[in-house]
Amino acid sequence: MLKLKLFLLLSFSILIFSCSENTSTNIAIFDGGSITIDDYVNHFLESTRYKPNFVPNEQNLEDIVHKLAITKLSVAEGFATQIDSDTAFIELYNKNNSRILFHEYMRKMIIDSVITDSLIQKYYAEFSPQYHMYYIMRPVPKTSTREFDRSQKKVIEQVYSKLEKGEDFHKLAETFSQDITTNKKGGDLGWIIRESLGDKVLRAVMDTLKQGHYSAPVKGYEGWYVVFKGEIRNVPVPSFQDAENKIWKSLYNSRKHVMQEILDEKFSSVKDKYELEIHYDNINKIVKTTGSDTTMPYKFMDFSHFPPENFELVLATFKGGHIVAGEVIRSIKKSPDNYKEFQKRFKSLCEQHIMAEFSKTLGFEQDPKVVQESDNYKQLLMKNLVYQKNVRDKAIAKVDELKTELEKSTNPADLSKVLSAHQVRFENELNKEFEEHLFNKYNLQIVKSNIPRALKIAEKMKKEQEEKK
């Protein structure tokens, strides 16, 4: 029998490695399923990815098989007890599928169209030389009035006038720039190349600006700027293989606004088809309950006394589902700070759900990657709900039984800590019992004769993994 150990991992990932040997051979079997050498090797490689000198051994193999068994047996138990028919399961599963479909839509239809192979190659071709760039920035949000735009332009023109009179660029940046990430550093953007800049206006300015000179005031995507082009340096150019991933991340971060604009446009064109209806009365109820104000977007929203039933308030309905307040608020600890952030989260959820529905018309539901991710999440969700029902809920019930007695004998300041310690103890005990129950119910057995072969394959694949690095 496997040595029982506490397994509380809340996420797992599957990494597929090709192998010329037959790894479909079982290393453990149970009623209704098995764990193959392939399952073990994939998990071993993923869990030791950052442990280059780790050599597979029998103890580690048993630990991994134990973890895989708990997941698979929990899933089997979930189906046996019809947890997949539970309302909570269905709702969580559907919402996660919406997220998966949305991300696939973003990747295929928007991200790949913005971060093209040719753009990545262009970035790499311009990797060196790099320029030390600076700017003074006065932001103009898209929702700003014309008066505010004019006032920001007036300030940047005053800054330019001071530069023309010989005042120091960096000191002016500290005083007048409203970009909080650079103003205290004298407007320093760091050493960059043209494609590092996400704003096409600023890229054009950088192209035409001479070294050691500053630009005239210019209106960019996020506001008004004066740009300064500092010293130049040549840097070693890494291989394309080493640089490609970092280049992609740089382009993704700098082109987010471009991708958001494309998404907003597409969302606007399809939302009516899915009959999106926003329930402003419930949104106003939340705003009022938290002491905020829709006319004061940055006023603090206080969720400390937010009624639990309000998490179920429907904020929007659409053909195929709805959005409740809990999705936007997430939790009391992770709630939005103000109405502006609340609006941003709500808008993102509307786009996610509508574009997920739209992606179904494009056949994304049948995409192998989507199917695999959906199935992985189903197993993870099933396992967590089975654990909740058979371990955590029972531990909480035991703590509740003790609470009255402990309140009489424990210092009130220590009560919470004592109760938490008891819950951990109860969970450990119940978890051990439940795992033993699963092993016995499903007749879990290790195929010991296949262990040497599994270790040999794992060792070979580990060497190949390190060689690829």
Side-chain angles (χ1 to χ4, degrees), residues 224-416:
W224 288 94
Y225 299 85
V226 172
V227 181
F228 179 74
K229 193 174 192 177
E231 56 268 44
I232 185 174
R233 72 175 184 183
N234 289 297
V235 297
V237 180
S239 69
F240 182 75
Q241 183 179 2
D242 290 339
E244 184 178 11
N245 191 45
K246 290 182 180 179
I247 291 173
W248 191 94
K249 288 179 179 178
S250 174
L251 290 170
Y252 178 81
N253 289 326
S254 66
R255 302 307 196 270
K256 281 182 179 178
H257 66 284
V258 177
M259 293 183 277
Q260 187 62 51
E261 285 180 343
I262 297 172
L263 175 61
D264 289 345
E265 184 179 345
K266 190 61 183 176
F267 171 71
S268 296
S269 70
V270 302
K271 65 179 181 179
D272 291 342
K273 177 181 177 182
Y274 296 95
E275 300 174 7
L276 177 65
E277 181 181 353
I278 297 174
H279 296 214
Y280 292 102
D281 53 338
N282 284 341
I283 291 176
N284 290 331
K285 183 176 181 179
I286 291 172
V287 173
K288 185 177 180 181
T289 303
T290 57
S292 190
D293 191 331
T294 56
T295 63
M296 302 173 67
Y298 293 101
K299 185 178 180 181
F300 179 67
M301 296 184 83
D302 183 8
F303 286 91
S304 59
H305 302 293
F306 193 70
E309 62 271 17
N310 281 6
F311 278 89
E312 299 305 317
L313 286 174
V314 176
L315 305 186
T317 55
F318 55 91
K319 194 186 296 183
H322 60 269
I323 299 171
V324 297
E327 293 180 71
V328 182
I329 300 166
R330 297 176 189 165
S331 69
I332 299 298
K333 290 183 178 180
K334 297 180 180 179
S335 58
D337 291 330
N338 51 55
Y339 182 59
K340 186 74 173 178
E341 186 182 345
F342 182 93
Q343 282 182 306
K344 184 178 179 180
R345 290 189 188 183
F346 177 62
K347 175 176 176 286
S348 294
L349 280 168
C350 288
E351 290 180 332
Q352 173 187 309
H353 286 291
I354 295 301
M355 300 317 296
E357 291 299 313
F358 176 69
S359 72
K360 293 177 183 177
T361 67
L362 303 176
F364 286 1
E365 271 189 309
Q366 286 75 47
D367 186 288
K369 182 182 176 183
V370 171
V371 173
Q372 183 64 61
E373 282 192 46
S374 180
D375 186 59
N376 288 348
Y377 180 77
K378 178 184 285 187
Q379 294 184 52
L380 172 64
L381 180 59
M382 188 80 76
K383 175 184 176 298
N384 289 341
L385 290 178
V386 165
Y387 179 86
Q388 181 76 37
K389 177 182 177 181
N390 291 278
V391 178
R392 184 169 288 123
D393 287 349
K394 290 181 179 180
I396 291 171
K398 281 177 170 283
V399 170
D400 288 342
E401 291 174 7
L402 283 176
K403 189 174 181 180
T404 303
E405 286 301 316
L406 289 171
E407 285 174 336
K408 296 176 183 177
S409 59
T410 307
N411 186 319
D414 298 328
L415 182 62
S416 177

Side-chain angles (χ1 to χ4, degrees), residues 9 38-48 64 67-68:
L9 292 177
D38 194 46
D39 294 330
Y40 155 67
V41 171
N42 288 337
H43 196 289
F44 170 76
L45 292 173
E46 179 66 8
S47 62
T48 62
I64 289 175
K67 292 175 182 179
L68 293 172

Side-chain angles (χ1 to χ4, degrees), residues 5-182:
K5 292 185 177 181
L6 179 63
F7 177 49
L8 297 177
L9 292 177
L10 294 180
S11 63
F12 66 93
S13 57
I14 297 176
L15 184 62
I16 305 299
F17 287 88
S18 61
C19 181
S20 58
E21 300 186 51
N22 180 14
T23 55
S24 61
T25 304
N26 293 331
I27 197 165
I29 56 175
F30 55 88
D31 293 350
S34 65
I35 297 167
T36 66
I37 291 178
D38 194 46
D39 294 330
Y40 155 67
V41 171
N42 288 337
H43 196 289
F44 170 76
L45 292 173
E46 179 66 8
S47 62
T48 62
R49 178 190 291 268
Y50 303 109
K51 300 175 181 178
N53 299 318
F54 195 97
V55 178
N57 57 65
E58 191 165 337
Q59 181 60 57
N60 174 257
L61 179 145
E62 287 202 357
D63 291 343
I64 289 175
V65 173
H66 170 256
K67 292 175 182 179
L68 293 172
I70 291 301
T71 296
K72 292 196 174 190
L73 295 179
S74 294
V75 171
E77 185 71 1
F79 281 117
T81 54
Q82 298 184 322
I83 281 182
D84 57 321
S85 300
D86 184 80
T87 304
F89 176 90
I90 294 170
E91 186 169 344
L92 287 169
Y93 178 70
N94 288 339
K95 289 189 183 305
N96 186 71
N97 269 358
S98 173
R99 179 187 61 80
I100 292 172
L101 285 167
F102 173 70
H103 287 171
E104 189 67 5
Y105 175 84
M106 285 295 298
R107 183 182 68 82
K108 285 185 175 180
M109 307 304 293
I110 296 181
I111 296 175
D112 287 352
S113 70
V114 174
I115 308 176
T116 61
D117 290 343
S118 59
L119 180 58
I120 293 173
Q121 290 286 354
K122 187 175 189 300
Y123 190 114
Y124 181 70
E126 298 173 359
F127 200 90
S128 183
Q130 299 174 352
Y131 288 91
H132 206 161
M133 299 297 296
Y134 307 79
Y135 69 34
I136 299 169
M137 185 256 206
R138 302 290 293 192
V140 181
K142 300 304 176 186
T143 54
S144 300
T145 62
R146 290 183 179 180
E147 288 74 19
F148 182 75
D149 187 2
R150 282 196 290 267
S151 70
Q152 292 291 66
K153 180 182 179 185
K154 184 177 180 180
V155 172
I156 210 74
E157 286 174 342
Q158 290 171 348
V159 169
Y160 181 71
S161 177
K162 291 177 183 291
L163 286 168
E164 290 284 82
K165 293 175 182 177
E167 293 194 35
D168 183 71
F169 184 97
H170 308 297
K171 289 182 179 178
L172 289 171
E174 290 181 18
T175 304
F176 292 99
S177 182
Q178 292 180 315
D179 178 12
I180 61 173
T181 61
T182 63

